[in-house]
Amino acid sequence: MFNYFRKELEWGGRTLVLETGKMARQADGAVLVRYGDTIVLCTAVGAKTAKPGQDFFPLTVNYQEKAFAAGKIPGGFFKREGRPSENEVLVSRLIDRPIRPLFPEGFRNEVQVIATVLSHDLENDPDIVALVGCSAALTLSGIPFFGPIAAARVGYKDGQYILNPTMQETEESQLDLVVAGTAEGVLMVESEAHELTEEVMLGAVTFGHTNFQPVIQAIIELAEHAAKEPWALTEKSDEEKALAARVDAIARPALTDAYKATVKQERYAKLDAAKKQAIEALAAEGLPTDKARAIFHDLEADIVRNAILDTGMRIDGRDTKTVRPIVAEVGVLPRAHGSALFTRGETQSLCVATLGTGQDEQIIDALEGEYREHFMLHYNFPPYSVGEAGRMGSPGRREIGHGKLAWRAVHPLLPAKEAFPYTLRVVSEITESNGSSSMATVCGTSLSLMDAGVPLKRPVAGIAMGLIKEDRGFAVLSDILGDEDHLGDMDFKVAGTEVGVTSLQMDIKITSITPEIMKIALDQAREGRLHILGEMAKAITGARGDVAATAPRITVITVPKEKIRDVIGTGGKVIREIVELTGCKIDIEDDGTIKIASSEQERTQAAIDRIRGIVAEPEIGAIYNGKVVKTAEFGAFVNFLGSRDGLVHISELSQGRVAKTTDVVKQGDAVKVKVLGFDDRGKVKLSMRVVDQATGADISDQVGAKAGRPDRERGGDRGADQSSAAD
């Protein structure tokens, strides 16, 4: 019934298994991949024909995690998986980026790749497994795909690289790097690092590329048994070639002139005019215009790329290494906790930092379990940033991906949560864009956090590198423009400090690049990064000495763990009362750590005093301020230490004989009391008569001398008995 094939190999100390022919047999390609007990089903389906008039390649990659994979039931009202989580979006992008360049130029058929996590062993991250499976599914499908590719995760600890570290090992590693590519070279890199050198980062990329070669070979061997017949590729017709030659003849002079304009708006106006003129000329000659857009792209790429290789000069007049002018400002928003405006050429990011408490942490429900995130970075790209009118909506895949890249760059520099117990949120609003807005976000985030008083270890900056590669040579470009990204061969983003790299992301649009090119790009990026850090230092060099006046101030105290229940109270009654009375935000942790947040020190101190009063133990002989909460025939009950009450026996109310308790005190009176001791039930015995009610001074010696006997003996036993009886 099943035409089943299986390939197995040892990889990184665990068994990797590729299976096909049993599940999802109606897909063009389907592979079940198992690594440890993590299992992912990957499928690939392609439309047999392209939609008429379609001038782009519609590739969709969907990575989805099923809750049953970890033995869980989804939360929420509907109890089923809903919209993709942030992690699912990020992994979908991770798979899309290395496979997209490997489809043939001009291929316009719709292709959908789906990776479904069926089992998660909580040790092996499904992202690498999914990427390998999607590559295998495409290779078996017959869809035109110049693969296969493979991927690996690389860790780094104690000077040694780790192949495919477990999730626990990744948490302890100085590096979390994912590299994907073909047998010939690297196509994609994504990483977070703890200020590692360029040499270590390049070594990690090379290590990963070398160690995933057996996986590529395994996919090839599986394909030899199970691959479907390859689809026939349609070559350009003579008419299409003639049309491209005619467009070249008509449009090249005007497009070449347009790319001499160094200002973006002027350049785009000239480009639009040149294309409009060319289309009108084609129509006048009776030639089709529906394929002109793709021809224009190829023509523009040829003009820009060859100009850079021939002259070493770029669209905006810079050489290959110069970074555009930078202006860094902080404190631009008066009510924000921290703010910065970072401008680099025609790219600008407004970053705003907000400090919150533990109650503001993001709760993330992942397959690995629920956890809390105390640092959030949200990136927004409104259409006005590129001079367009467009639809506004929830963040797309690009926004989520760019925000996470900046998050990875800054995250290693944050202070430990124990040292700076704030929840941090940074919002990056891209107000202008022509070149890497994600790297502008890295710079703006660093500035805004320092402006908010967050003690970063060091400032962090980022730069985007580009590549023009032809048979006759190549050029690495620092701080690329949007056009250079669009028409070039590489988008290589590097972020870090003066000490080392904290994040690296690389996407290649050609089949691969060499280690030599990557080394040049990393070295050139370091020069640019240090220059940018120098410009940022003109605005601020380190964290401000204190948080903003508008920000909450968090005070951390500790109480014995056994006292936590007293602070919280039955059903949370006590802690709610403290919050209502003081206006503070209070977080209580299981280890007895209590964080009190308020922008007013008086309110914080009031909350601290009440908590201390609850957990403190009365000291015999100590004098306290109290309040009468109840009167009885035998005495008065006084609240004197947090929620702690004690009895002032009628004989201890005053120095003279007292006939009636209410002759001396009434409910609500403020009094001063001294702790005499405890009865056999642990109840506190108090005295007012041995305390000067005006000054709070201890006058027990005077009272004892007048009475001619020790003060504590007077009525003590009788008071204890009646206190017990009253309770």
Side-chain angles (χ1 to χ4, degrees):
M1 181 175 180
F2 299 116
N3 191 20
Y4 177 74
F5 296 95
R6 172 188 173 101
K7 185 65 184 176
E8 182 177 312
L9 72 153
E10 289 300 311
W11 188 43
R14 280 142 286 170
T15 302
L16 178 71
V17 180
L18 306 175
E19 300 178 0
T20 189
K22 185 179 287 188
M23 296 178 67
R25 291 174 295 162
Q26 296 186 46
D28 290 323
V31 176
L32 190 72
V33 187
R34 179 169 185 159
Y35 195 49
D37 281 341
T38 293
I39 302 174
V40 184
L41 173 64
C42 302
T43 62
V45 175
K48 300 304 181 284
T49 58
K51 292 180 181 179
Q54 187 148 273
D55 58 357
F56 66 95
F57 172 42
L59 169 67
T60 305
V61 177
N62 295 103
Y63 167 86
Q64 52 186 2
E65 297 177 335
K66 298 299 181 179
F68 60 72
K72 299 173 64 176
I73 295 175
F77 182 78
F78 296 104
K79 295 299 179 184
R80 68 177 298 164
E81 290 82 3
R83 59 180 296 176
S85 67
E86 182 174 296
N87 182 64
E88 288 172 312
V89 170
L90 293 170
V91 177
S92 296
R93 283 172 54 87
L94 193 76
I95 298 169
D96 182 297
R97 286 156 46 199
I99 67 174
R100 185 175 290 272
L102 298 180
F103 290 89
E105 185 180 356
F107 184 66
R108 298 291 184 264
N109 299 34
E110 183 176 2
V111 175
Q112 185 179 43
V113 179
I114 299 176
T116 307
V117 180
L118 303 180
S119 176
H120 190 357
D121 62 10
L122 306 183
E123 288 188 2
N124 299 288
D125 199 312
D127 56 1
I128 297 297
V129 182
L131 210 161
V132 169
C134 290
S135 167
L138 284 167
T139 303
L140 302 184
S141 68
I143 297 170
F145 176 67
F146 300 147
I149 65 168
R153 172 169 270 105
V154 180
Y156 185 75
K157 184 178 180 182
D158 300 328
Q160 299 293 321
Y161 295 115
I162 307 170
L163 177 63
N164 293 336
T166 64
M167 299 180 76
Q168 178 63 38
E169 288 174 327
T170 299
E171 291 181 4
E172 299 168 356
S173 173
Q174 294 175 271
L175 173 68
D176 181 10
L177 180 143
V178 174
V179 55
T182 62
E184 291 75 29
V186 174
L187 284 168
M188 186 275 296
V189 177
E190 183 82 55
S191 67
E192 178 182 339
H194 289 264
E195 297 183 286
L196 298 178
T197 66
E198 283 74 10
E199 290 74 19
V200 171
M201 297 298 291
L202 183 57
V205 174
T206 304
F207 176 84
H209 180 256
T210 301
N211 280 279
F212 66 56
Q213 296 307 311
V215 179
I216 291 179
Q217 186 59 38
I219 295 173
I220 292 172
E221 292 174 7
L222 186 69
E224 289 173 351
H225 295 282
K228 296 180 179 178
E229 287 297 317
W231 295 9
L233 285 175
T234 304
E235 295 186 0
K236 286 185 178 180
S237 64
D238 292 339
E239 290 78 7
E240 289 174 324
K241 293 177 182 177
L243 178 63
R246 185 60 186 144
V247 172
D248 189 305
I250 294 172
R252 181 178 286 272
L255 290 176
T256 301
D257 180 67
Y259 275 109
K260 292 178 181 177
T262 58
V263 178
K264 177 183 175 181
Q265 290 80 359
E266 180 185 348
R267 180 168 63 252
Y268 278 23
K270 286 188 173 184
L271 288 171
D272 290 342
K275 294 173 185 178
K276 181 180 179 182
Q277 183 181 8
I279 289 175
E280 290 174 351
L282 291 174
E285 296 178 16
L287 295 173
T289 60
D290 57 332
K291 296 183 179 179
R293 179 178 171 182
I295 298 173
F296 284 140
H297 176 273
D298 294 343
L299 182 54
E300 290 177 75
D302 183 68
I303 292 169
V304 171
R305 295 163 65 88
N306 282 294
I308 292 172
L309 292 176
D310 290 339
T311 67
M313 301 301 292
R314 296 155 65 180
I315 298 171
D316 60 356
R318 288 180 292 152
D319 61 24
T320 58
K321 294 185 178 181
T322 300
V323 176
R324 288 170 291 174
I326 291 172
V327 177
E329 305 169 66
V330 295
V332 295
L333 300 179
R335 296 295 296 174
H337 299 164
S339 59
L341 185 67
F342 180 83
T343 309
R344 186 190 61 240
E346 296 166 312
T347 297
Q348 187 178 77
S349 171
L350 174 64
C351 289
V352 186
T354 306
L355 307 184
T357 68
Q359 297 175 24
D360 299 309
E361 290 181 337
Q362 183 180 16
I363 302 173
I364 299 176
D365 186 14
L367 285 185
E368 309 88 68
E370 184 178 286
Y371 66 94
R372 291 174 174 266
E373 180 56 64
H374 80 288
F375 174 46
M376 296 160 280
L377 199 159
H378 297 145
Y379 166 103
N380 297 313
F381 192 88
Y384 67 75
S385 64
V386 288
E388 296 177 357
R391 177 178 172 274
M392 295 286 286
S394 58
R397 288 188 172 193
R398 179 181 179 277
E399 284 78 11
I400 292 173
H402 279 35
K404 189 63 176 182
L405 172 59
W407 184 95
R408 289 192 182 103
V410 177
H411 182 248
L413 283 309
L414 294 177
K417 188 177 177 181
E418 295 74 21
F420 193 74
Y422 286 91
T423 296
L424 309 174
R425 182 189 185 225
V426 176
V427 177
S428 172
E429 296 287 339
I430 303 304
T431 50
E432 293 183 37
S433 181
N434 182 20
S436 180
S437 54
S438 63
M439 294 297 96
T441 295
V442 171
C443 301
T445 297
S446 176
L447 292 166
S448 66
L449 288 173
M450 290 189 292
D451 185 51
V454 180
L456 296 182
K457 296 176 185 176
R458 276 169 289 278
V460 57
I463 186 170
M465 311 298 293
L467 173 70
I468 304 296
K469 185 174 181 289
E470 299 286 354
D471 292 339
R472 62 193 180 97
F474 68 87
V476 175
L477 313 178
S478 294
D479 182 23
I480 56 174
L481 300 171
D483 286 335
E484 292 169 338
D485 182 9
H486 179 60
L487 302 174
D489 297 321
M490 176 180 76
D491 184 10
F492 191 6
K493 299 182 175 76
V494 186
T497 67
E498 62 183 6
V499 174
V501 175
T502 58
S503 182
L504 188 154
Q505 184 187 84
M506 181 175 70
D507 292 303
I508 305 298
K509 302 174 187 178
I510 53 180
T511 54
S512 64
I513 64 169
T514 64
E516 175 198 5
I517 293 176
M518 279 192 286
K519 185 178 187 310
I520 293 172
L522 280 167
D523 291 341
Q524 201 164 308
R526 185 174 189 278
E527 294 177 13
R529 185 174 80 244
L530 293 177
H531 167 74
I532 295 170
L533 286 169
E535 295 299 304
M536 291 167 56
K538 295 177 181 178
I540 190 170
T541 57
R544 298 196 186 280
D546 195 7
V547 298
T550 54
R553 280 162 169 74
I554 297 179
T555 303
V556 180
I557 63 174
T558 57
V559 301
K561 288 193 287 187
E562 61 272 15
K563 293 288 186 179
I564 293 176
R565 66 169 65 185
D566 298 328
V567 177
I568 296 174
T570 305
K573 177 182 178 181
V574 175
I575 194 64
R576 281 199 304 271
E577 180 181 351
I578 296 174
V579 169
E580 290 172 3
L581 291 175
T582 64
C584 297
K585 287 186 176 182
I586 302 175
D587 297 322
I588 303 176
E589 299 179 7
D590 293 339
D591 64 354
T593 300
I594 299 181
K595 298 174 184 176
I596 304 165
S598 173
S599 57
E600 299 179 28
Q601 184 58 35
E602 295 80 4
R603 293 178 178 271
T604 299
Q605 191 58 51
I608 292 173
D609 291 344
R610 292 187 68 86
I611 292 171
R612 291 293 189 203
I614 293 170
V615 301
E617 293 293 338
E619 297 180 26
I620 295 177
I623 295 174
Y624 298 93
N625 291 317
K627 181 179 180 181
V628 177
V629 293
K630 183 181 178 181
T631 59
E633 291 182 4
F634 51 82
F637 291 94
V638 175
N639 173 245
F640 69 99
L641 184 61
S643 60
R644 185 69 66 100
D645 294 347
L647 173 68
V648 180
H649 189 265
I650 191 169
S651 63
E652 296 291 337
L653 286 174
S654 180
Q655 295 179 27
R657 184 179 182 281
V658 178
K660 194 175 176 184
T661 301
T662 51
D663 289 343
V664 180
V665 293
K666 294 181 177 59
Q667 185 174 332
D669 285 355
V671 297
K672 294 177 173 60
V673 294
K674 179 179 178 179
V675 177
L676 298 180
F678 304 89
D679 65 16
D680 54 4
R681 296 177 57 193
K683 302 297 182 180
V684 183
K685 297 187 293 183
L686 304 174
S687 174
M688 287 175 52
R689 73 185 185 89
V690 295
V691 182
D692 187 320
Q693 295 298 309
T695 65
D698 187 340
I699 56 173
S700 56
D701 291 341
Q702 302 172 32
V703 173
K706 290 180 181 179
R709 59 182 174 175
D711 174 66
R712 281 187 192 168
E713 294 181 1
R714 179 174 176 179
D717 293 338
R718 179 166 159 249
D721 292 340
Q722 293 204 26
S723 172
S724 300
D727 292 334

